[in-house]
Amino acid sequence: MKETKAWTLNGYFILILILALLGTGAVLIAKLNLFSIALLLLGIILLTGIQVVQPNKAYAVTFFGSYIGTIREPGFWFTFPFSMRKAVSLRVRNFNSKTLKVNDTEGNPVEIAAVVVFRVVDTAKAIFDVDKYEQFVEIQSETALRHVASRYPYDTFDTGITGYSLRGNGEEVAQELAQELQQRLSLAGVEVSEARLTHLAYSTEIAGSMLQRQQASAILAARQIIVDGAMGMVQMAIERLEKENVVNLDEERKAAMINNLLVAIVSDRSAQPVINTGSLY
């Protein structure tokens, strides 16, 4: 099915014609003229073709089982008498999915939910190609969300693994979700304006373990920064001592000094200095 424009006429002109037919028929009835019955029947038949269209609303018109077009323009219109007209909203709508439990690409159970912004762009497909397009949008949205979530890990934990993750690449995941939804919902004549993740978390049964993993990754990353800074400070201290000839250290004493400085800088607790009052050797 594909939407087409329905045949219409100005409804005000037809309404005036209907009133004229009914009025003339009423006058002729008073005079016992049989022609009045035909005028009254014609007026009633034309009255069945009157349709009022509100803004952002459309009516799909069927005539004895055949789709003959859609009335989209707001106003007061006349179309085929005895035709059936089904209303379809053209407004932008939101669909908030339920919180789904999905296994990511690593098999970890995660909880995920999304909001989908959509509107109907083809009334013929929305009415005749699918059964209840609102439910179709809901089911396909949840199916697409499950499929996209299962393709990526929840997080890469800064391990150097390249690729997208659900937590770290929310914009890219949302864009891919919107594209997949558009492919699925085009059958129903629906256009997807936007799709965004509204909830993302580990499932309760593994949330504690994954929190410890995240904390461990954060500690390792912090330690790496501390060690890199300590190495730079030690290197700068040794180079300055040698440059200014403050003291000449052999390789053994230089290694001992480097060890002491690294321990003092990297240690979690404050270092307790020990003053050497004897000979350096």
Side-chain angles (χ1 to χ4, degrees):
M1 299 294 295
K2 187 176 182 181
E3 180 181 314
T4 58
K5 185 177 180 181
W7 174 82
T8 55
L9 289 176
N10 190 298
Y12 295 102
F13 171 75
I14 301 299
L15 182 61
I16 294 173
L17 178 61
I18 292 172
L19 293 176
L21 291 172
L22 295 178
T24 304
V27 171
L28 293 178
I29 284 179
K31 297 179 179 181
L32 301 178
N33 191 326
L34 295 178
F35 186 65
S36 61
I37 299 176
L39 294 179
L40 292 175
L41 288 176
L42 180 59
I44 294 173
I45 291 173
L46 293 178
L47 191 61
T48 62
I50 294 295
Q51 182 64 57
V52 178
V53 181
Q54 302 293 338
N56 279 329
K57 201 168 187 179
Y59 287 87
V61 183
T62 57
F63 188 68
F64 291 101
S66 299
Y67 171 69
I68 59 176
T70 299
I71 307 174
R72 276 180 170 266
E73 295 79 6
F76 189 62
W77 302 101
F78 172 80
T79 186
F80 290 95
F82 299 117
S83 60
M84 302 295 294
R85 296 175 286 276
K86 187 171 183 179
V88 180
S89 176
L90 303 179
R91 296 182 179 92
V92 177
R93 283 178 283 179
N94 292 328
F95 165 67
N96 291 309
S97 72
K98 297 181 294 184
T99 300
L100 307 175
K101 183 180 288 187
V102 187
N103 290 334
D104 65 2
T105 188
E106 296 179 350
N108 299 318
V110 298
E111 295 178 351
I112 191 169
V115 58
V116 180
V117 183
F118 70 96
R119 66 187 182 95
V120 175
V121 293
D122 193 310
T123 57
K125 290 183 177 181
I127 295 176
F128 303 112
D129 281 355
V130 295
D131 186 17
K132 297 182 180 180
Y133 71 91
E134 297 94 342
Q135 295 182 3
F136 185 81
V137 170
E138 295 179 7
I139 295 173
Q140 292 300 323
S141 297
E142 293 182 356
T143 303
L145 182 59
R146 288 181 181 275
H147 182 252
V148 171
S150 64
R151 296 179 59 184
Y152 301 105
Y154 179 89
D155 201 349
T156 56
F157 297 100
D158 299 325
T159 56
I161 300 176
T162 58
Y164 292 162
S165 67
L166 297 176
R167 189 181 71 89
N169 302 92
E171 291 291 333
E172 292 80 0
V173 172
Q175 184 177 0
E176 182 174 346
L177 176 61
Q179 292 175 354
E180 180 162 344
L181 276 173
Q182 186 59 67
Q183 294 176 357
R184 292 172 178 264
L185 299 180
S186 59
L187 176 63
V190 172
E191 179 184 71
V192 178
S193 302
E194 187 180 16
R196 293 283 177 182
L197 299 182
T198 57
H199 176 77
L200 180 63
Y202 279 113
S203 186
T204 53
E205 58 264 28
I206 66 166
S209 300
M210 288 303 174
L211 179 60
Q212 293 178 356
R213 181 176 178 180
Q214 290 177 349
Q215 292 174 344
S217 299
I219 293 173
L220 289 176
R223 286 293 182 184
Q224 183 177 0
I225 295 175
I226 293 174
V227 170
D228 290 342
M231 290 296 295
M233 294 172 65
V234 170
Q235 183 179 2
M236 180 180 64
I238 296 298
E239 291 178 352
R240 187 167 180 179
L241 288 174
E242 292 179 348
K243 180 178 180 181
E244 297 180 3
N245 293 322
V246 176
V247 62
N248 293 322
L249 301 175
D250 57 19
E251 294 299 325
E252 181 181 354
R253 294 300 177 181
K254 188 183 294 185
M257 182 178 179
I258 292 173
N259 178 69
N260 293 335
L261 287 175
L262 286 177
V263 170
I265 297 173
V266 176
S267 176
D268 288 335
R269 299 180 181 180
S270 300
Q272 299 295 328
V274 177
I275 299 177
N276 184 10
T277 58
S279 172
L280 187 64
Y281 295 93

